[in-house]
Amino acid sequence: MATDSQFATWEVFMQTKPGANYIHAGSVHASDKKMALQNARDTYTRRGEGTSIWVVPSDAIVASNPDDNEMFFDPANDKVYRLPTFYVMPEGAKAI
Amino acid sequence: MTEQQALYKYCLILGDNALIHSYRLSEWCSNAPILEEDLALTNFSLDMIGRAQALLSYAGKIDGKGKTDDDLAYRRGEREFYNHLLKEMPNGDFANTIAKLLFTSAYEYYFFNELQHSADKTLAAIAAKTIKEVKYHMAHATDWVLRLGDGTDESHHRIQKAVNELWMYTGELFETNEATAILEDKNIAVDMAVVKAKWKQEIERVLTEATLTVPKDQYMQTGGSKGVHSEYLGHILSEMQYLQRAYPEAIW
Amino acid sequence: MELLEKTDKIQEELLKNFEIKIDRGDAIEPRDKMPDGYRKHLIRQMSQHAHSEVIGMQPEGNWITRAPSLRAKQILLAKIQDEGGHGLYLYSAAETLGISRDEMIAQLHSGKAKYSNIFNYPALTWADIGAIGWLVDGAAIVNQVSLQRTSYGPYSRAMVRICKEESFHQRQGYEIMSKMMKGTKDQQGMAQDAMNRWWWPSLMMFGPHDSESPHTGDAFKWKIKRSSNDELRQKFIDKTVQQAEVIGLTIPDKDLKWNEAKGHYHHGPINWNEFYSVIGGGGPCNKQRMAHHIKVHNEGEWVRSAAKAYQEKKEKKLLHL
């Protein structure tokens, strides 16, 4: 938006400890990448919550459409053979 | 001047610099150009208050008269403060605040890098913690100087003006005095010539990249280390110390 | 005509699906279908909430430079910074509904969007900083805890984060009050005076009595609002009275009485005339708060333009490489 005085929005993803998944924390406004990263730092890590930050322009996020939820997600529900509990193990077998 | 007196003075200079700069930055609270920047400037101010606490507490300990960090912050008069004049200059516009932050944070970055090797273990430890903070302040200030310098005509003009007007307060940062001389001999204080050379190089690099003109050296203001300040400091103190002065018996 | 009927039907269907989800207790997410009324209600409530956090920085900001110790200054600054951060989280949650922060700020400046009435009162002495933290934040927290279960996902998530961070706010205010009550006569006087001035406006923060409150119907049905104004107000009074007693402060309500049968405190009548006149612009600080916000916004314009121009120049350079 050309007339917007508040800069573009960026989505912020935080890693709270080394090795952990990055989790969406919220968003910030910024005019460039460096500013986005610094603003995310100053906004979302005030209590030592972060070890690493990703920022992504909000308009670069592609989201699934809730209307598609049935075709997207339901077909996976009956594929129980993808889970280890589906299999019958002979009694006495160890470390499997 | 004894070594103890010199160290006391040295800690007061460092502590007052952090305290007075934190005061000015805290004035930005709810005044920044965008909400995110409000949080950033507050963070810097908080870093500086923390540093002031550490340094003034240590000063009180060296002095040995039972004075706390608060006693030193809230019960000294105008002529007993030793911060650089640069710190007490009014915030002015955002460009002025950023120019001041760049000059100060770059100075502090190189200064504390040296001080972390100090023979005084307490100062070395404070320095090691401070480097991390001021490195971030410097990155933030540098980015903004680039944006303002190479942004619009107006921003270029404003940041150049701020750089020019504050330049005469930068000489004082590298001054030596009786206290620093005594402490340098003991490997406690920092060699200012080293700090100055690095600072100058970095500032010239940033200003040039920001399409700004590096000011010519000119007459430099001085006085902070002798407790001779601008008129602004008295107003800072009268506001900051108001409750402690008005209700001397009260504990807050 | 036929087409209109068809769209009506689709709308009806959507509304039904939406209400099934709400009844099931599912969170509503930004891309889910939602009735216009739901979206509008949320935008109004969330932007008002965000503006309140940001305008709320002003009365406390009034005391930053005069905080009486380094510790007090540090805490106050961190607290006000939190308010700014919380405003930011809420703007960001509201933006998922399709309104920009720029538009929300414009609505604040035009008077279309409101902020909490409480910030139209002045912070006169240091004890006011205690009273604001203890009473005003205390009241806000009661409301916010309840809103953690609100039906709109981004709002609820913002509330969870805010509640976690704000748990120190009320404590810092109460600590100030308790220190002052243990202090000199002057300090005790200041603390009681602040209590007297902030108690009633704090009760008004929960809004009109349930019997008088507009909008509550849909807000309850859609699970935006989870507790009524009077329920929340009662919760706040019940817990605050004891805290006041512990540190020796008197609640300025001669009708305040414990009701054994109900298990609640009974309180005296709230001066709603004052409430409505402050909302209508008659508070001591309405003009000052808005003027400040507008001035800062306008003064920052050249900075924001510069940052944008800088980025555009950089992008252009990249294209020509």
Side-chain angles (χ1 to χ4, degrees):
Chain A
M1 228 185 289
T3 54
D4 198 322
S5 76
Q6 295 291 303
F7 302 148
T9 63
W10 302 67
E11 299 302 320
V12 180
F13 298 85
M14 300 268 314
Q15 188 191 46
T16 51
K17 55 176 189 269
N21 285 321
Y22 285 73
I23 297 172
H24 185 240
S27 63
V28 291
H29 289 232
S31 63
D32 58 57
K33 292 180 199 174
K34 279 169 124 182
M35 194 196 287
L37 209 49
Q38 291 183 7
N39 289 349
R41 181 260 194 192
D42 286 316
T43 303
Y44 291 102
T45 69
R46 299 200 302 286
R47 287 168 172 78
E49 300 99 324
T51 52
S52 178
I53 304 174
W54 291 344
V55 288
V56 183
S58 300
D59 59 11
I61 303 257
V62 185
S64 65
N65 187 336
D67 289 346
D68 295 338
N69 275 7
E70 289 183 4
M71 77 163 186
F72 251 61
F73 305 112
D74 289 358
N77 289 345
D78 62 355
K79 312 285 193 296
V80 283
Y81 43 80
R82 288 193 172 114
L83 304 172
T85 46
F86 179 71
Y87 298 91
V88 185
M89 291 292 101
E91 224 167 280
K94 285 181 184 166
I96 181 157
Chain B
M1 189 180 254
T2 64
E3 186 185 327
Q4 184 203 16
Q5 286 166 333
L7 188 56
Y8 177 59
K9 176 87 182 269
Y10 199 61
C11 290
L12 287 180
I13 294 174
L14 298 183
D16 291 347
N17 276 331
L19 180 64
I20 301 302
H21 200 184
S22 83
Y23 179 96
R24 283 301 189 210
L25 283 174
S26 77
E27 290 180 316
W28 272 100
C29 191
S30 92
N31 285 295
I34 190 158
L35 195 46
E36 282 82 350
E37 188 61 20
D38 217 296
L39 304 193
L41 295 174
T42 310
N43 265 349
F44 305 161
S45 181
L46 283 170
D47 286 343
M48 290 170 196
I49 298 176
R51 196 197 319 158
Q53 280 176 319
L55 287 159
L56 294 180
S57 298
Y58 187 44
K61 211 180 269 173
I62 292 158
D63 190 37
K65 289 173 190 144
K67 280 187 188 153
T68 65
D69 49 351
D70 279 340
D71 293 334
L72 289 170
Y74 290 89
R75 302 289 173 100
R76 274 181 300 150
E78 295 89 337
R79 299 278 282 108
E80 299 164 293
F81 268 76
Y82 301 118
N83 59 280
H84 302 137
L85 304 183
L86 178 63
K87 312 295 190 288
E88 69 208 41
M89 288 301 125
N91 284 331
D93 63 3
F94 185 69
N96 196 69
T97 293
I98 286 297
K100 189 205 269 192
L101 187 64
L102 176 71
F103 289 161
T104 303
S105 59
Y107 165 78
E108 289 175 337
Y109 178 66
Y110 297 116
F111 179 89
F112 286 108
N113 251 305
E114 297 298 313
L115 193 67
Q116 65 175 330
H117 306 300
S118 171
D120 185 293
K121 290 284 167 280
T122 306
L123 284 182
I126 294 171
K129 178 172 181 284
T130 302
I131 292 167
K132 298 181 202 165
E133 296 168 353
V134 296
K135 191 175 178 188
Y136 186 77
H137 304 174
M138 183 159 96
H140 189 87
T142 300
D143 289 347
W144 269 115
V145 169
L146 297 179
R147 287 185 197 109
L148 298 181
D150 201 11
T152 60
D153 287 346
E154 181 181 5
S155 70
H156 179 88
H157 170 74
R158 282 182 188 250
I159 187 75
Q160 183 68 64
K161 184 164 171 270
V163 164
N164 294 349
E165 285 177 1
L166 291 174
W167 194 255
M168 68 174 173
Y169 296 101
T170 59
E172 194 188 23
L173 308 182
F174 309 101
E175 271 178 12
T176 51
N177 51 51
E178 195 188 346
T180 58
I182 293 170
L183 298 177
E184 227 190 297
D185 281 346
K186 307 274 179 190
N187 291 318
I188 292 173
V190 165
D191 179 355
M192 296 313 274
V194 175
V195 179
K196 186 174 183 177
K198 289 182 177 171
W199 181 86
K200 236 184 146 195
Q201 197 184 1
E202 176 63 10
I203 294 297
E204 282 173 9
R205 186 193 70 77
V206 174
L207 295 184
T208 307
E209 195 186 330
T211 72
L212 297 168
T213 310
V214 181
K216 295 257 178 308
D217 273 336
Q218 48 184 288
Y219 181 77
M220 291 291 183
Q221 297 295 325
T222 179
S225 69
K226 294 187 184 67
V228 179
H229 289 271
S230 68
E231 289 178 351
Y232 299 116
L233 183 75
H235 290 283
I236 292 178
L237 298 186
S238 58
E239 193 158 330
M240 183 173 83
Q241 299 177 338
Y242 145 67
L243 279 170
Q244 290 253 357
R245 300 279 197 186
Y247 304 95
E249 304 306 321
I251 294 167
W252 301 93
Chain C
M1 200 56 201
E2 213 171 283
L3 195 74
L4 263 180
E5 265 170 37
K6 215 171 162 189
T7 19
D8 276 356
K9 257 225 166 91
I10 294 171
Q11 285 303 326
E12 232 170 77
E13 187 76 3
L14 286 177
L15 190 61
K16 218 171 78 195
N17 285 340
F18 170 81
E19 286 180 345
I20 289 169
K21 271 185 134 174
I22 291 278
D23 290 341
R24 242 191 348 237
D26 287 1
I28 305 299
E29 292 298 331
R31 301 201 50 179
D32 289 342
K33 296 278 187 305
M34 59 184 91
D36 261 4
Y38 181 77
R39 187 185 296 275
K40 276 191 191 138
H41 189 107
L42 277 171
I43 287 178
R44 190 181 61 232
Q45 181 171 334
M46 290 165 75
S47 69
Q48 171 168 344
H49 201 159
H51 296 323
S52 301
E53 297 279 356
V54 171
I55 297 291
M57 296 166 76
Q58 291 182 37
E60 292 181 282
N62 183 37
W63 277 92
I64 289 176
T65 54
R66 290 177 292 171
S69 72
L70 294 172
R71 180 178 181 270
K73 179 161 170 149
Q74 210 166 31
I75 295 170
L76 180 60
L77 203 48
K79 176 175 185 284
I80 303 173
Q81 185 193 39
D82 269 354
E83 318 287 7
H86 298 166
L88 206 153
Y89 303 163
L90 286 160
Y91 282 130
S92 143
E95 281 175 307
T96 63
L97 291 162
I99 184 169
S100 71
R101 190 156 94 190
D102 209 36
E103 289 171 281
M104 287 187 267
I105 291 173
Q107 288 181 356
L108 174 69
H109 290 176
S110 75
K112 191 182 169 209
K114 304 270 182 230
Y115 56 89
S116 178
N117 221 13
I118 192 83
F119 302 119
N120 290 320
Y121 292 89
L124 299 179
T125 74
W126 176 250
D128 289 45
I129 297 305
I132 291 174
W134 175 42
L135 300 174
V136 175
D137 281 65
I141 289 165
V142 169
N143 185 33
Q144 287 170 172
V145 164
S146 158
L147 282 172
Q148 289 182 111
R149 296 185 303 120
T150 191
S151 59
Y152 187 55
Y155 193 21
S156 152
R157 290 193 285 277
M159 278 298 120
V160 169
R161 198 182 179 99
I162 288 172
C163 284
K164 214 163 87 189
E165 296 189 352
E166 287 212 349
S167 52
F168 95 80
H169 292 190
Q170 199 189 4
R171 284 174 166 230
Q172 70 89 29
Y174 190 53
E175 190 193 77
I176 290 175
M177 293 305 252
S178 107
K179 267 191 183 168
M180 292 184 76
M181 288 306 287
K182 277 192 219 140
T184 63
K185 278 259 162 347
D186 281 333
Q187 287 178 297
Q188 291 169 5
M190 269 186 233
Q192 184 61 54
D193 166 61
M195 172 93 206
N196 296 347
R197 283 182 289 109
W198 288 93
W199 173 254
W200 290 105
S202 300
L203 296 192
M204 294 176 199
M205 280 174 73
F206 296 97
H209 287 306
D210 297 348
S211 51
E212 314 273 315
S213 178
H215 311 303
T216 35
D218 280 347
F220 268 102
K221 194 175 71 187
W222 290 331
K223 295 186 181 167
I224 295 175
K225 209 169 155 60
R226 304 307 304 261
S227 315
S228 80
N229 293 353
D230 284 332
E231 280 164 16
L232 293 170
R233 182 165 23 238
Q234 190 64 55
K235 206 175 251 181
F236 170 70
I237 295 170
D238 288 346
K239 71 185 186 118
T240 308
V241 172
Q242 190 268 344
Q243 293 163 5
E245 280 168 2
V246 168
I247 56 175
L249 280 168
T250 309
I251 304 236
D253 177 358
K254 58 177 175 24
D255 298 322
L256 190 82
K257 245 197 339 259
W258 176 250
N259 184 326
E260 191 63 52
K262 287 189 180 161
H264 290 302
Y265 280 96
H266 166 83
H267 65 84
I270 293 170
N271 182 354
W272 294 111
N273 283 341
E274 177 184 322
F275 177 75
Y276 287 110
S277 72
V278 175
I279 283 192
C285 301
N286 299 49
K287 286 204 182 80
Q288 182 188 341
R289 302 289 184 240
M290 281 313 301
H292 179 88
H293 197 276
I294 292 170
K295 175 175 152 273
V296 167
H297 182 75
N298 292 342
E299 279 177 2
E301 183 48 41
W302 73 267
V303 179
R304 297 188 297 267
S305 306
K308 271 209 260 187
Y310 173 76
Q311 171 63 7
E312 279 157 19
K313 275 189 204 173
K314 268 208 330 202
E315 274 167 13
K316 241 187 220 162
K317 254 187 221 158
L318 269 177
L319 281 178
H320 290 291
L321 274 182

